[in-house]
Amino acid sequence: MHYLYFHAYAMLTGLLLGMFVDPFSKIAIGVFYILFCWFHVCVLLETTPMNFNTGAYCPQCQRVTGLGLRHCNICAMCVPGKWVHCKHLQRCCDKRLRKRWLNLFKLIVTMYSIMTVIHALKTPWLLGLLPLHIFVLKLTYK
């Protein structure tokens, strides 16, 4: 699932839930989305292409690259050895930062699910969002 879908889900579901919840919940929705965007910006800033030209040669790139880099066949570029390719972000990034980003998103989906169940007591049609929350949460585990 592309990261833009995660943003669209977080924004649209947050706006929809925001129309039916109390002011404290609206603040929580906004703060969580700002945190989510901040983590995403951190991932984007950290995963810029590297070209150190220190003398190591990459046979796949057929060029001189930095020491300690490995070639990612999906991105078709050399990245630091501790990085992994993330299909959700569609780029290579640090394992820990990727895990934090996904955990924050899972926390947001869980919060939305709980808010949906609570506020469905006064607005029953909100329960229709629950399958969407579960579907999106399952996509993060693949």
Side-chain angles (χ1 to χ4, degrees), residues 11 17 23 25 40 53 57 61 67 85 114 117 124 136:
M11 279 192 334
L17 281 175
S25 297
H40 192 195
N53 292 326
Y57 181 75
C61 294
L67 290 174
H85 189 81
I114 292 169
V117 170
V136 170

Side-chain angles (χ1 to χ4, degrees), residues 35-76:
L35 276 172
F36 181 67
C37 290
W38 180 73
F39 265 91
H40 192 195
V41 167
C42 288
V43 169
L44 291 176
L45 290 178
E46 186 176 322
T47 60
T48 56
M50 297 185 171
N51 186 10
F52 295 132
N53 292 326
T54 58
Y57 181 75
C58 176
Q60 285 93 357
C61 294
Q62 296 182 351
R63 63 184 177 94
V64 177
T65 61
L67 290 174
L69 300 181
R70 65 171 184 79
H71 189 81
C72 176
N73 293 324
I74 301 169
C75 292

